[in-house]
Amino acid sequence: MAAPVYEPIVGEELLFRLETTTPIYGGGFRARRPDEVDIVRVPGIRGQLRQWWRALHAGAHADLASAERKLWGGIAGGDQGQRSLVDLAIKIVGALPDLDSGKVELQARDAYALFPANMPLSDIAPRRRPGVRFDLSVRFDTSLSPARRGEVLGALRAWVLFGGVGGRTRRGCGSLAYRMSAGAPDLPDSGFGWLPQDLSTGALCLAPGQVAKPFPTLRGARFFLGPPHTGNNAALQAWHEALAWLRDFRQASSQSIDTADPGRHARRRPVVGQGLAARPGQTRWPEADKIRRLYLARNRGFTLSHPLVFNATPVWPRAQFGLPIQVQFQRTDRGGAKGALKEPDNVSLTWRTGPGQEARQRLASPLIVKPIQLPGGAFAALALWLYRALPPSAEVGVADGKGLLAGSAAPIAAMTAAGDPCPFTALAAKASVQEAFFDWLAGQCPGGSGGTL
């Protein structure tokens, strides 16, 4: 097992002052809503700490579930009940920022994280603005060894660096900054000595050994850091930069495809009354065309809004960003006539562990994009792709009841189909979307740096 992260620890309680640097989305007892009483909820923090503890220590315990239960507690019943050896308490400090109940404008810099707040438009979800300050008290049971206390603090530090408060933390919502701590000599009351000097296995005190787990772990994760931002809005600037990385790569539709030569871009067509470049062109990812081909093969007539570029062989590379993916087709033509385009029904892409298995509704994204606090007080954009081992037989396809639509399944790791063009050149000759994304990032952000944990 790795050496203790923090030793010695003075007393049985540590106090951390933290502050949210991006809006809080969800996290309350009502779905999609921040809580208006327990602004920062202890159960939510405990769940995040358990998650980051597993991400750090997946290779350190022969019986990971038992080690987790002994430290963090377990469900009562039989001999499985176990009280947590770590008590947490929250105290809000200072005035609370307001709730933002307005519509999230899709051209806003934070829209790629917050757009679910708009659905449905009749019930827009409010977001708590940045700047929630709170004290987190961490109290250890007297029976807890220094090594296991170090595990707790390692999970706490990983949560502050890579997690957040509320929902959509993997898109940077509810990100945190460390302000002060007290109660231990190596957790200073001022400065940022508690933050790691770099992102490395030693600095993060990762347990040794990459292990194949179906849940995300830090050992084996890949990361990319943008250049530092300073000043009053540094965290928001870093967040917007990280979101732009994901948006620009994942949408990959800033220009139309030239259907005569799918490898080059055509000029985008104008929208009546809005001028040139007011509307994105055809996507350079294959999912939409593949779904259209499926519908055509089943004699479900519709009118093509443009020539199809990709063939009928199923492949769904964007599934590697997480599932489900909701695919919605444009039915309003360039003149603004609603319903003029007869596109396929809106569908969702989901996955299963192998042929013949029931479809699963969710596969959490392994990619985190957020602002991360640096030891000197600056912030940087972070892209962190966690390591996760899925069954080699795992497949993705169009959801159809409890299974996948016949003829739509493809290996979840598949990147291209034989005979397809590659209009998005960042994907060409890449073994995975992760590899393509980080290689693309290195070209887009020459001032950044990256590595593998």
Side-chain angles (χ1 to χ4, degrees), residues 341-353:
L341 303 179
K342 305 300 182 182
E343 290 278 25
D345 297 334
N346 295 340
V347 299
S348 64
L349 299 177
T350 189
W351 74 292
R352 62 190 180 194
T353 56

Side-chain angles (χ1 to χ4, degrees), residues 197-264:
Q197 294 299 312
D198 57 62
L199 294 187
S200 65
T201 56
L204 294 175
C205 300
L206 286 182
Q210 183 172 320
V211 291
K213 294 289 185 182
F215 55 82
T217 63
L218 278 166
R219 175 71 72 167
R222 189 168 178 179
F223 70 89
F224 187 89
L225 275 175
H229 294 267
T230 58
N232 293 335
N233 294 318
L236 285 175
Q237 291 171 0
W239 183 41
H240 295 153
E241 181 181 4
L243 287 176
W245 291 344
L246 178 59
R247 180 198 64 217
D248 293 348
F249 182 85
R250 194 175 188 274
Q251 288 189 340
S253 59
S254 59
Q255 293 177 299
S256 301
I257 294 172
D258 183 340
T259 52
D261 179 5
R264 71 181 287 272

Side-chain angles (χ1 to χ4, degrees), residues 26-30 35 37-52 54 68 72-73 84 86-91 134 136-137 159 164-167 169:
F29 72 96
R30 290 181 60 198
D35 203 298
V37 178
D38 293 331
I39 308 301
V40 180
R41 302 182 72 235
V42 168
I45 293 178
R46 187 177 295 279
Q48 285 251 1
L49 292 180
R50 294 181 78 132
Q51 169 198 319
W52 287 111
R54 288 193 297 270
E68 178 180 345
W72 298 104
S84 175
V86 183
D87 287 333
L88 306 175
I90 293 292
K91 180 181 178 181
F134 61 96
L136 171 63
S137 168
W159 167 59
V165 174
T169 59

